[in-house]
Amino acid sequence: MRYVLLLRGINVGGKNKVVMAELRQQVAGLGYEAVQTYINSGNLFFDSDKVREEIIADFQDFFASHYPFVQTFSLLSASDYVTELAQLPDWWQEDLVRKDVLFFTEGMDRKGFLDYVGSLELGDECFSFTEHAVYWGKWTEKEYLKTAYHKQLGKSHFYKQITIRNDRTFAKLAEFLGKQ
């Protein structure tokens, strides 16, 4: 089965550097096949016949020994991604100035996060929940710094428990998984 592993917080502002070519080689050395990466922000694709729990354990051990700053990641199978594509909110196809996908990471408190997001007072923004993520949209660029997304979520303890991809990267991930 084809998978995507979404890493959080690497290669940002010169910190937590991971060279993608080295990562691909190391992951292939773990026995994963057809290993690919997309851009420098931690989008890793591979094939495996292992069960999900084994893959998660492999990568937790791998990151602890090779890249200890990688504390969280999100693992989705190609079929998980198809489910996400099928559940896109209607507003996702509209011409918003910003659209982000906030993927849940392994082991995070999803219910607590969803309750927190549901309690935020939204301005010029919208969101929608699915099984693996929260889709967040911003209608205009005006007052972005005052949005719940920027002002509240970015400062909450939940922020370090999600990994974010913009709409263009989200679409590109589907291509790498052969699903769009």
Side-chain angles (χ1 to χ4, degrees):
M1 174 165 294
R2 190 80 172 146
Y3 289 90
V4 60
L5 187 81
L6 305 171
L7 304 179
R8 187 197 183 287
I10 67 162
N11 298 333
V12 177
K15 295 181 181 178
N16 300 334
K17 288 194 175 252
V18 176
V19 176
M20 293 297 108
E22 291 175 12
L23 181 62
R24 286 191 302 271
Q25 190 174 31
Q26 292 166 326
V27 170
L30 293 174
Y32 293 96
E33 299 176 353
V35 179
Q36 295 178 288
T37 55
Y38 171 66
I39 61 178
N40 215 25
S41 61
N43 304 296
L44 175 68
F45 303 87
F46 57 88
D47 292 340
S48 179
D49 292 330
K50 293 182 179 183
V51 297
R52 178 181 179 77
E53 292 76 20
E54 284 181 89
I55 295 170
I56 290 169
D58 280 354
F59 280 102
Q60 286 173 333
D61 292 344
F62 170 76
F63 290 125
S65 64
H66 289 82
Y67 303 100
F69 50 84
V70 176
Q71 306 266 317
T72 56
F73 58 81
S74 180
L75 177 68
L76 289 97
S77 68
S79 61
D80 292 336
Y81 219 82
V82 167
T83 300
E84 289 301 306
L85 291 168
Q87 295 177 18
L88 285 172
D90 292 339
W91 57 259
W92 191 260
Q93 305 308 323
E94 295 184 31
D95 191 24
L96 281 73
V97 296
R98 292 181 189 237
K99 293 184 268 188
D100 289 327
V101 185
L102 291 63
F103 287 101
F104 307 134
T105 57
E106 298 304 320
M108 78 172 282
D109 176 10
R110 290 182 186 192
K111 183 184 178 336
F113 178 66
L114 296 177
D115 289 345
Y116 172 75
V117 170
S119 74
L120 295 176
E121 191 171 317
L122 299 181
D124 185 30
E125 53 198 321
C126 54
F127 66 87
S128 181
F129 302 117
T130 63
E131 182 180 349
H132 302 282
V134 173
Y135 293 80
W136 208 297
K138 178 81 175 90
W139 295 100
T140 64
E141 198 62 34
K142 182 182 176 192
E143 299 185 357
Y144 171 70
L145 296 178
K146 294 180 182 179
T147 61
Y149 181 89
H150 180 80
K151 195 170 183 176
Q152 295 170 26
L153 177 62
K155 295 175 182 164
S156 77
H157 73 281
F158 288 112
Y159 189 71
K160 292 185 178 184
Q161 299 177 30
I162 55 175
T163 185
I164 303 169
R165 301 300 185 272
N166 66 32
D167 58 326
R168 292 174 303 281
T169 300
F170 177 75
K172 195 70 172 175
L173 298 179
E175 287 179 33
F176 270 85
L177 290 167
K179 301 302 174 188
Q180 192 167 9

